[in-house]
mmCIF file of all heavy atoms in Angstrom:
data_model
loop_
_atom_site.group_PDB
_atom_site.id
_atom_site.type_symbol
_atom_site.label_atom_id
_atom_site.label_comp_id
_atom_site.label_asym_id
_atom_site.label_seq_id
_atom_site.Cartn_x
_atom_site.Cartn_y
_atom_site.Cartn_z
ATOM 1 N N VAL V 96 120.185 97.693 180.465
ATOM 2 C CA VAL V 96 120.271 96.230 180.662
ATOM 3 C C VAL V 96 119.167 95.556 179.780
ATOM 4 O O VAL V 96 118.005 95.983 179.928
ATOM 5 C CB VAL V 96 120.157 95.767 182.051
ATOM 6 C CG1 VAL V 96 120.413 94.325 182.121
ATOM 7 C CG2 VAL V 96 121.062 96.503 182.981
ATOM 8 N N VAL V 97 119.529 94.673 179.071
ATOM 9 C CA VAL V 97 118.468 93.784 178.299
ATOM 10 C C VAL V 97 117.501 93.201 179.298
ATOM 11 O O VAL V 97 117.928 92.581 180.350
ATOM 12 C CB VAL V 97 119.195 92.582 177.613
ATOM 13 C CG1 VAL V 97 118.119 91.538 177.174
ATOM 14 C CG2 VAL V 97 119.851 93.147 176.236
ATOM 15 N N GLY V 98 116.242 93.380 179.155
ATOM 16 C CA GLY V 98 115.372 92.844 179.989
ATOM 17 C C GLY V 98 114.835 93.751 181.164
ATOM 18 O O GLY V 98 113.987 93.413 182.018
ATOM 19 N N GLU V 100 112.700 96.163 181.241
ATOM 20 C CA GLU V 100 111.282 96.373 181.412
ATOM 21 C C GLU V 100 110.549 95.028 181.864
ATOM 22 O O GLU V 100 109.424 95.120 182.289
ATOM 23 C CB GLU V 100 110.739 96.828 180.101
ATOM 24 C CG GLU V 100 110.713 95.818 178.917
ATOM 25 C CD GLU V 100 112.104 95.489 178.433
ATOM 26 O OE1 GLU V 100 113.077 96.204 178.629
ATOM 27 O OE2 GLU V 100 112.254 94.593 177.550
ATOM 28 N N ARG V 101 111.229 93.961 181.741
ATOM 29 C CA ARG V 101 110.539 92.643 182.160
ATOM 30 C C ARG V 101 110.960 92.285 183.542
ATOM 31 O O ARG V 101 110.422 91.265 184.174
ATOM 32 C CB ARG V 101 111.174 91.485 181.289
ATOM 33 C CG ARG V 101 110.806 91.662 179.798
ATOM 34 C CD ARG V 101 111.210 90.374 179.000
ATOM 35 N NE ARG V 101 112.591 90.244 178.852
ATOM 36 C CZ ARG V 101 113.299 90.619 177.723
ATOM 37 N NH1 ARG V 101 112.678 91.322 176.870
ATOM 38 N NH2 ARG V 101 114.546 90.403 177.672
ATOM 39 N N HIS V 129 120.902 98.522 175.357
ATOM 40 C CA HIS V 129 120.551 97.523 176.272
ATOM 41 C C HIS V 129 121.631 96.385 176.125
ATOM 42 O O HIS V 129 121.720 95.837 175.007
ATOM 43 C CB HIS V 129 119.221 96.919 175.932
ATOM 44 C CG HIS V 129 118.057 97.591 176.736
ATOM 45 N ND1 HIS V 129 116.834 97.043 176.754
ATOM 46 C CD2 HIS V 129 118.063 98.626 177.469
ATOM 47 C CE1 HIS V 129 116.042 97.891 177.486
ATOM 48 N NE2 HIS V 129 116.858 98.922 177.974
ATOM 49 N N SER V 130 122.411 96.023 177.151
ATOM 50 C CA SER V 130 123.381 95.043 177.131
ATOM 51 C C SER V 130 122.917 93.747 177.924
ATOM 52 O O SER V 130 122.356 94.008 179.085
ATOM 53 C CB SER V 130 124.750 95.513 177.611
ATOM 54 O OG SER V 130 125.713 94.477 177.711
ATOM 55 N N THR V 131 123.271 92.626 177.565
ATOM 56 C CA THR V 131 123.235 91.518 178.342
ATOM 57 C C THR V 131 124.209 91.609 179.572
ATOM 58 O O THR V 131 125.150 92.434 179.502
ATOM 59 C CB THR V 131 123.345 90.155 177.607
ATOM 60 O OG1 THR V 131 124.501 90.241 176.887
ATOM 61 C CG2 THR V 131 122.217 89.848 176.777
ATOM 62 N N GLN V 132 124.215 90.683 180.596
ATOM 63 C CA GLN V 132 125.039 90.717 181.626
ATOM 64 C C GLN V 132 126.480 90.649 181.163
ATOM 65 O O GLN V 132 126.910 89.994 180.197
ATOM 66 C CB GLN V 132 124.835 89.592 182.636
ATOM 67 C CG GLN V 132 125.502 89.684 183.907
ATOM 68 C CD GLN V 132 125.453 91.079 184.684
ATOM 69 O OE1 GLN V 132 126.227 91.931 184.451
ATOM 70 N NE2 GLN V 132 124.492 91.119 185.548
ATOM 71 N N TYR V 156 118.026 81.219 180.931
ATOM 72 C CA TYR V 156 119.144 81.419 180.013
ATOM 73 C C TYR V 156 119.751 82.886 180.124
ATOM 74 O O TYR V 156 118.967 83.798 180.506
ATOM 75 C CB TYR V 156 118.537 81.492 178.546
ATOM 76 C CG TYR V 156 118.340 79.998 178.023
ATOM 77 C CD1 TYR V 156 117.081 79.521 177.707
ATOM 78 C CD2 TYR V 156 119.433 79.120 177.826
ATOM 79 C CE1 TYR V 156 116.957 78.146 177.239
ATOM 80 C CE2 TYR V 156 119.308 77.853 177.417
ATOM 81 C CZ TYR V 156 117.990 77.335 177.108
ATOM 82 O OH TYR V 156 117.867 76.117 176.666
ATOM 83 N N VAL V 157 120.977 82.924 179.978
ATOM 84 C CA VAL V 157 121.753 84.112 179.885
ATOM 85 C C VAL V 157 122.606 84.015 178.611
ATOM 86 O O VAL V 157 122.872 83.023 177.957
ATOM 87 C CB VAL V 157 122.667 84.358 181.131
ATOM 88 C CG1 VAL V 157 121.777 84.571 182.279
ATOM 89 C CG2 VAL V 157 123.549 83.207 181.329
ATOM 90 N N GLN V 158 123.114 85.221 178.122
ATOM 91 C CA GLN V 158 123.947 85.390 176.968
ATOM 92 C C GLN V 158 124.959 86.446 177.300
ATOM 93 O O GLN V 158 124.983 87.495 176.632
ATOM 94 C CB GLN V 158 123.109 85.650 175.800
ATOM 95 C CG GLN V 158 123.838 85.213 174.490
ATOM 96 C CD GLN V 158 122.921 85.068 173.248
ATOM 97 O OE1 GLN V 158 121.720 84.748 173.489
ATOM 98 N NE2 GLN V 158 123.427 85.221 172.093
ATOM 99 N N PRO V 159 125.892 86.152 178.284
ATOM 100 C CA PRO V 159 126.805 87.273 178.813
ATOM 101 C C PRO V 159 127.786 87.779 177.653
ATOM 102 O O PRO V 159 128.205 86.963 176.775
ATOM 103 C CB PRO V 159 127.516 86.600 179.907
ATOM 104 C CG PRO V 159 127.465 85.105 179.635
ATOM 105 C CD PRO V 159 126.114 84.826 178.845
ATOM 106 N N THR V 181 116.150 102.268 171.326
ATOM 107 C CA THR V 181 117.003 101.409 172.110
ATOM 108 C C THR V 181 117.579 100.352 171.195
ATOM 109 O O THR V 181 116.859 99.728 170.365
ATOM 110 C CB THR V 181 116.180 100.694 173.275
ATOM 111 O OG1 THR V 181 115.636 101.742 174.026
ATOM 112 C CG2 THR V 181 116.990 99.772 173.981
ATOM 113 N N ILE V 182 118.847 100.158 171.280
ATOM 114 C CA ILE V 182 119.536 98.979 170.489
ATOM 115 C C ILE V 182 120.050 98.000 171.484
ATOM 116 O O ILE V 182 120.195 98.298 172.696
ATOM 117 C CB ILE V 182 120.661 99.549 169.648
ATOM 118 C CG1 ILE V 182 121.782 100.101 170.503
ATOM 119 C CG2 ILE V 182 120.182 100.500 168.714
ATOM 120 C CD1 ILE V 182 122.951 100.514 169.688
ATOM 121 N N GLU V 183 120.178 96.754 171.128
ATOM 122 C CA GLU V 183 120.530 95.617 172.060
ATOM 123 C C GLU V 183 121.870 95.036 171.636
ATOM 124 O O GLU V 183 122.138 94.887 170.389
ATOM 125 C CB GLU V 183 119.432 94.698 172.217
ATOM 126 C CG GLU V 183 118.189 95.345 172.831
ATOM 127 C CD GLU V 183 117.128 94.376 173.243
ATOM 128 O OE1 GLU V 183 116.985 93.194 172.684
ATOM 129 O OE2 GLU V 183 116.426 94.721 174.293
ATOM 130 N N ILE V 184 122.609 94.625 172.562
ATOM 131 C CA ILE V 184 123.918 93.909 172.429
ATOM 132 C C ILE V 184 123.947 92.715 173.269
ATOM 133 O O ILE V 184 123.332 92.723 174.352
ATOM 134 C CB ILE V 184 125.176 94.816 172.606
ATOM 135 C CG1 ILE V 184 125.228 95.269 173.949
ATOM 136 C CG2 ILE V 184 125.143 95.914 171.592
ATOM 137 C CD1 ILE V 184 126.420 96.067 174.311
ATOM 138 N N SER V 185 124.612 91.696 172.849
ATOM 139 C CA SER V 185 124.659 90.413 173.538
ATOM 140 C C SER V 185 125.879 89.555 173.212
ATOM 141 O O SER V 185 126.553 89.844 172.267
ATOM 142 C CB SER V 185 123.491 89.582 173.010
ATOM 143 O OG SER V 185 123.310 88.304 173.591
ATOM 144 N N GLY V 186 126.265 88.726 174.134
ATOM 145 C CA GLY V 186 127.387 87.828 173.936
ATOM 146 C C GLY V 186 127.007 86.834 172.755
ATOM 147 O O GLY V 186 125.772 86.746 172.369
ATOM 148 N N ARG V 189 124.593 81.319 174.284
ATOM 149 C CA ARG V 189 123.481 81.300 175.308
ATOM 150 C C ARG V 189 123.707 80.116 176.074
ATOM 151 O O ARG V 189 124.070 79.030 175.616
ATOM 152 C CB ARG V 189 122.217 81.257 174.559
ATOM 153 C CG ARG V 189 120.987 81.445 175.466
ATOM 154 C CD ARG V 189 119.631 81.684 174.690
ATOM 155 N NE ARG V 189 119.696 82.972 174.000
ATOM 156 C CZ ARG V 189 118.621 83.472 173.402
ATOM 157 N NH1 ARG V 189 117.472 82.874 173.491
ATOM 158 N NH2 ARG V 189 118.654 84.728 172.781
ATOM 159 N N ASP V 224 113.107 81.990 180.934
ATOM 160 C CA ASP V 224 113.979 81.788 179.814
ATOM 161 C C ASP V 224 114.191 83.047 178.934
ATOM 162 O O ASP V 224 115.175 83.130 178.129
ATOM 163 C CB ASP V 224 113.811 80.524 179.079
ATOM 164 C CG ASP V 224 114.214 79.191 179.787
ATOM 165 O OD1 ASP V 224 114.887 79.473 180.688
ATOM 166 O OD2 ASP V 224 113.849 78.154 179.274
ATOM 167 N N GLN V 225 113.190 83.989 179.011
ATOM 168 C CA GLN V 225 113.348 85.158 178.146
ATOM 169 C C GLN V 225 113.797 86.417 178.908
ATOM 170 O O GLN V 225 114.088 87.489 178.253
ATOM 171 C CB GLN V 225 111.976 85.507 177.580
ATOM 172 C CG GLN V 225 111.521 84.560 176.514
ATOM 173 C CD GLN V 225 111.114 83.112 176.999
ATOM 174 O OE1 GLN V 225 110.343 83.129 177.953
ATOM 175 N NE2 GLN V 225 111.586 82.100 176.405
ATOM 176 N N SER V 226 113.933 86.338 180.214
ATOM 177 C CA SER V 226 114.114 87.613 181.032
ATOM 178 C C SER V 226 115.469 88.256 180.748
ATOM 179 O O SER V 226 115.458 89.536 180.619
ATOM 180 C CB SER V 226 114.291 87.136 182.548
ATOM 181 O OG SER V 226 113.036 86.607 182.948
ATOM 182 N N LEU V 227 116.546 87.505 180.475
ATOM 183 C CA LEU V 227 117.826 88.140 180.407
ATOM 184 C C LEU V 227 118.505 87.999 179.083
ATOM 185 O O LEU V 227 119.700 88.343 178.971
ATOM 186 C CB LEU V 227 118.804 87.511 181.509
ATOM 187 C CG LEU V 227 118.358 87.735 182.901
ATOM 188 C CD1 LEU V 227 119.427 86.980 183.901
ATOM 189 C CD2 LEU V 227 118.524 89.226 183.277
ATOM 190 N N VAL V 228 117.793 87.574 178.106
ATOM 191 C CA VAL V 228 118.309 87.358 176.696
ATOM 192 C C VAL V 228 117.619 88.159 175.668
ATOM 193 O O VAL V 228 116.418 88.659 175.975
ATOM 194 C CB VAL V 228 118.344 85.953 176.300
ATOM 195 C CG1 VAL V 228 119.232 85.106 177.250
ATOM 196 C CG2 VAL V 228 116.984 85.366 176.311
ATOM 197 N N SER V 229 118.177 88.551 174.581
ATOM 198 C CA SER V 229 117.611 89.369 173.487
ATOM 199 C C SER V 229 117.256 88.520 172.327
ATOM 200 O O SER V 229 118.222 87.858 171.834
ATOM 201 C CB SER V 229 118.363 90.559 173.258
ATOM 202 O OG SER V 229 118.021 91.279 172.111
ATOM 203 N N ASP V 230 116.097 88.614 171.869
ATOM 204 C CA ASP V 230 115.694 87.988 170.501
ATOM 205 C C ASP V 230 115.320 89.191 169.486
ATOM 206 O O ASP V 230 114.723 88.919 168.546
ATOM 207 C CB ASP V 230 114.475 87.061 170.672
ATOM 208 C CG ASP V 230 114.933 85.727 171.427
ATOM 209 O OD1 ASP V 230 116.039 85.233 171.201
ATOM 210 O OD2 ASP V 230 114.236 85.363 172.405
ATOM 211 N N ASN V 231 115.824 90.332 169.829
ATOM 212 C CA ASN V 231 115.513 91.584 169.075
ATOM 213 C C ASN V 231 116.656 91.858 168.166
ATOM 214 O O ASN V 231 117.072 93.054 168.052
ATOM 215 C CB ASN V 231 115.087 92.663 169.945
ATOM 216 C CG ASN V 231 114.533 93.905 169.205
ATOM 217 O OD1 ASN V 231 113.919 93.705 168.098
ATOM 218 N ND2 ASN V 231 114.772 95.074 169.646
ATOM 219 N N ASN V 232 117.328 90.816 167.436
ATOM 220 C CA ASN V 232 118.365 91.099 166.560
ATOM 221 C C ASN V 232 119.521 91.978 167.162
ATOM 222 O O ASN V 232 119.896 92.893 166.631
ATOM 223 C CB ASN V 232 117.917 91.755 165.244
ATOM 224 C CG ASN V 232 116.937 90.898 164.463
ATOM 225 O OD1 ASN V 232 117.176 89.774 164.266
ATOM 226 N ND2 ASN V 232 115.864 91.498 164.036
ATOM 227 N N PRO V 233 120.005 91.381 168.370
ATOM 228 C CA PRO V 233 121.081 92.151 168.980
ATOM 229 C C PRO V 233 122.291 92.123 168.197
ATOM 230 O O PRO V 233 122.662 91.105 167.440
ATOM 231 C CB PRO V 233 121.174 91.493 170.281
ATOM 232 C CG PRO V 233 120.895 90.030 169.997
ATOM 233 C CD PRO V 233 119.795 90.169 169.043
ATOM 234 N N ARG V 234 123.192 93.162 168.328
ATOM 235 C CA ARG V 234 124.565 93.146 167.863
ATOM 236 C C ARG V 234 125.325 92.169 168.744
ATOM 237 O O ARG V 234 125.347 92.269 169.965
ATOM 238 C CB ARG V 234 125.223 94.479 167.846
ATOM 239 C CG ARG V 234 126.630 94.446 167.536
ATOM 240 C CD ARG V 234 127.261 95.917 167.361
ATOM 241 N NE ARG V 234 128.686 95.854 167.409
ATOM 242 C CZ ARG V 234 129.437 96.959 167.268
ATOM 243 N NH1 ARG V 234 128.976 98.058 166.908
ATOM 244 N NH2 ARG V 234 130.752 96.952 167.427
ATOM 245 N N LEU V 235 125.938 91.115 168.215
ATOM 246 C CA LEU V 235 126.654 90.071 169.001
ATOM 247 C C LEU V 235 128.152 90.422 169.207
ATOM 248 O O LEU V 235 128.840 90.778 168.264
ATOM 249 C CB LEU V 235 126.544 88.790 168.315
ATOM 250 C CG LEU V 235 125.137 88.186 168.187
ATOM 251 C CD1 LEU V 235 125.230 86.850 167.502
ATOM 252 C CD2 LEU V 235 124.471 88.149 169.569
#
Side-chain angles (χ1 to χ4, degrees):
V96 187
V97 163
E100 69 287 352
R101 298 189 288 268
H129 270 188
S130 173
T131 53
Q132 188 54 270
Y156 280 118
V157 291
Q158 199 161 335
T181 300
I182 64 172
E183 297 194 330
I184 62 175
S185 177
R189 191 168 290 192
D224 281 347
Q225 288 74 46
S226 298
L227 294 175
V228 294
S229 173
D230 291 315
N231 191 30
N232 296 315
R234 172 170 163 174
L235 297 181

